Amino acid sequence: MDISSLQKCIGDQQAYRLRQIKRALYVDLVEDWQYVTTLPKNLRELLARSCPLDIHADVQISGDNFTVKALMHLIDGKRIETVLMRHEDGRRTVCVSSQVGCPLGCTFCATGRGGFSRNLTIDEIVEQVLFWNRYLKPSAEKVTNVVFMGMGEPLLNYSNVLSAIRTLNDPDGFGIGARRISISTSGIAPKIRKLANELLQVNLALSLHAPNDCIRSQLMPINKQFPLKQVMSAVSDYVTKTNRQVMFEYLMIRGVNDADEQARELAVLVDHPLYFINLIPYNPTGAYQPSSSATIRRFKQILLRAGRHVTQRYGFGQDIAAACGQLAAKNNGSPRRTS
Ligand code: SAH
Ligand code: SF4
C-alpha cells in the first residue's frame, strides 16, 4: 500500500474528494478501489494503478483466540510484526512496530538481538492498524487502542510516529483518541521531553526493567547514554506538563532484577502518585530465565507494602510468544498466507 501517493493522485481535487477517499479507506475499509462507487471511474482507475490497497501478511492465531499476530511483508521485502489483543472488556488493542528491528540491542530482547534495518514510514505504521481493522470487520469490531510496543524504539522514529498518531486520531479516519494510544520507550530522555511539549494526551510507558544504573546498563545499553537520573527527570517533566499517568514496565528476570532488595530500590525510584509499575513475566528468548510466580508475588508485595501502584501483565497468548519482538525472529521462511 502507498497511502501518501493518494494526495498526489487527487492533486487539486476538492476537499470533499479527500474526505470520501479517507472514508472509503479507513471507515468502509475497502480493499479495492473499484468498490468506491462514490468516486468517478477514471479516478478509481488512477488510484488502482498508483495506490494499490493490498496488505500482505501471515497471520498466526493463539490457542485461546484472544491474541493474533501478523508478520507483515513490506515493499522492500523486510518484515515486521504487529499483534491484536482482544480483551474481555471489549477493547481491541493493536501492538504496532515503529522500526524494522531496533538499534538499541537490549540483551533480553529478540528484536534488539536481530539488529536494525530502518525506520518505518508513516504509512507502514498506519497500515498495521488498517490491517487489523480489516481483519475485525467481519465481526463488526474495530481497533480501540494502539500501543507502540512492537519492534523498534518509537522515539527514535519520532516524526513518523507522531504523524502516524495524528492520522490514527483523525475523526474522518480511524478516530482513535490520543488517550487510547500508548508509546513505550527505552528512555530516550530528550525525546520524552519533546513529547511532553506536543500537548498530545498519549500515554507514556517507560521500559525500566531495573532499579539502578548498574543492572539497567547490563540489560539496556542505552542506559549508558541516558542514565536513570536523566530519564526519571524527563519522565517527571512529562507528568508535570501532561498530568498523565506513566507506566513503568518491569520485566521479571530470574536472578537479575528480582531480589527483595531490588523491589525496595524500585519503590524508592518510582515514587509519584501518577506512576504505576507493571510487572511483566519475562518471555524467554535466549540468555535469561523468567522469575518464578512465587518470586513475582513476593516482589509485588514489597512494592504494595511501600504504597506503590502495581499491576501485573499475565502471559497473553503465551503459546505464540506474544512478547513483542519475537515473531519476526522466529519466522524466516517464505510467506504462508497472504491476506
Ligand atoms: N523499544 C520500546 C518499545 C518496544 S519493546 C521499549 O523498549 O519500550 C516493548 C516492550 O516489550 C518493552 O517493555 C520491552 O522491554 C518488552 N520486551 C522485550 N522483550 C521481551 C521479552 N522477551 N519478554 C517480555 N517483554 C519483552
Ligand atoms: Fe529495542 Fe525496545 Fe527491544 Fe530494547 S526492548 S532492543 S529498545 S525494541
Side-chain angles (χ1 to χ4, degrees):
M1 254 189 72
D2 185 2
I3 307 170
S4 18
S5 63
L6 261 179
Q7 206 79 47
K8 278 183 236 139
C9 282
I10 56 169
D12 50 9
Q13 306 233 16
Q14 302 89 329
Y16 80 92
R17 277 276 178 251
L18 183 59
R19 269 202 310 279
Q20 279 176 326
I21 288 173
K22 275 205 230 163
R23 189 179 168 81
L25 196 59
Y26 299 127
V27 181
D28 303 332
L29 302 166
V30 291
E31 294 181 40
D32 189 332
W33 290 112
Q34 67 161 315
Y35 299 117
V36 192
T37 47
T38 45
L39 301 177
K41 193 153 182 283
N42 60 348
L43 180 56
R44 275 186 269 160
E45 281 164 4
L46 174 67
L47 287 167
R49 274 195 311 277
S50 42
C51 179
L53 294 180
D54 47 329
I55 302 175
H56 300 286
D58 301 327
V59 173
Q60 196 182 8
I61 301 173
S62 72
D64 60 15
N65 209 14
F66 283 115
T67 312
V68 193
K69 264 197 173 194
L71 191 63
M72 272 181 51
H73 306 254
L74 308 179
I75 197 100
D76 58 357
K78 304 270 191 273
R79 292 169 188 202
I80 48 158
E81 63 166 27
T82 173
V83 183
L84 169 72
M85 290 163 281
R86 290 181 156 110
H87 302 275
E88 277 176 359
D89 62 7
R91 276 176 303 140
R92 298 292 174 260
T93 301
V94 166
C95 173
V96 293
S97 292
S98 55
Q99 299 182 309
V100 184
C102 180
L104 298 184
C106 300
T107 53
F108 53 79
C109 175
T111 304
R113 266 204 315 278
F116 173 68
S117 294
R118 64 172 174 87
N119 279 336
L120 292 185
T121 63
I122 304 166
D123 286 355
E124 287 167 337
I125 298 171
V126 172
E127 259 172 52
Q128 297 172 59
V129 178
L130 179 59
F131 175 80
W132 291 117
N133 266 329
R134 287 182 184 176
Y135 181 91
L136 289 168
K137 190 180 172 185
S139 50
E141 299 170 276
K142 45 183 205 170
V143 175
T144 59
N145 297 65
V146 173
V147 295
F148 283 82
M149 291 189 186
M151 300 170 84
E153 169 49 56
L155 296 189
L156 290 182
N157 187 12
Y158 190 90
S159 64
N160 287 354
V161 164
L162 267 275
S163 302
I165 289 175
R166 296 210 159 90
T167 304
L168 298 175
N169 289 160
D170 187 346
D172 288 334
F174 293 132
I176 303 173
R179 286 167 183 266
R180 289 189 278 126
I181 299 178
S182 306
I183 296 181
S184 173
T185 178
S186 57
I188 313 295
K191 292 293 162 59
I192 295 175
R193 288 184 193 280
K194 190 164 181 207
L195 189 64
N197 291 323
E198 301 282 350
L199 303 175
L200 261 177
Q201 293 287 298
V202 292
N203 304 301
L204 182 69
L206 182 82
S207 290
L208 189 60
H209 308 327
N212 58 51
D213 281 322
C214 179
I215 303 176
R216 196 164 192 268
S217 295
Q218 277 171 37
L219 294 172
M220 309 177 72
I222 188 68
N223 192 68
K224 293 176 197 141
Q225 195 179 340
F226 302 116
L228 278 176
K229 197 159 183 270
Q230 273 186 46
V231 176
M232 294 306 285
S233 143
V235 170
S236 157
D237 187 48
Y238 186 87
V239 169
T240 309
K241 291 211 168 106
T242 62
N243 208 30
R244 305 281 299 153
Q245 277 198 328
V246 173
M247 175 166 87
F248 290 84
E249 297 160 278
Y250 196 97
L251 284 178
M252 296 294 297
I253 309 177
R254 183 180 299 183
V256 174
N257 63 359
D258 62 354
D260 293 1
E261 173 53 25
Q262 284 140 11
R264 286 191 286 269
E265 240 183 307
L266 182 61
V268 175
L269 183 70
V270 181
D271 181 11
H272 187 288
L274 287 173
Y275 290 174
F276 71 100
I277 301 163
N278 189 17
L279 298 178
I280 307 166
Y282 178 59
N283 211 336
T285 56
Y288 304 105
Q289 289 305 313
S291 308
S292 68
S293 345
T295 305
I296 300 180
R297 263 199 310 277
R298 197 181 155 92
F299 200 89
K300 186 175 175 184
Q301 278 312 318
I302 296 173
L303 291 168
L304 289 173
R305 273 202 302 274
R308 298 298 162 266
H309 179 185
V310 189
T311 55
Q312 196 172 337
R313 194 205 287 169
Y314 294 95
F316 217 151
Q318 282 279 355
D319 58 335
I320 57 160
C324 297
Q326 290 169 69
L327 183 75
K330 280 188 182 165
N331 261 289
N332 297 315
S334 51
R336 288 188 319 279
R337 196 185 117 186
T338 301
S339 37

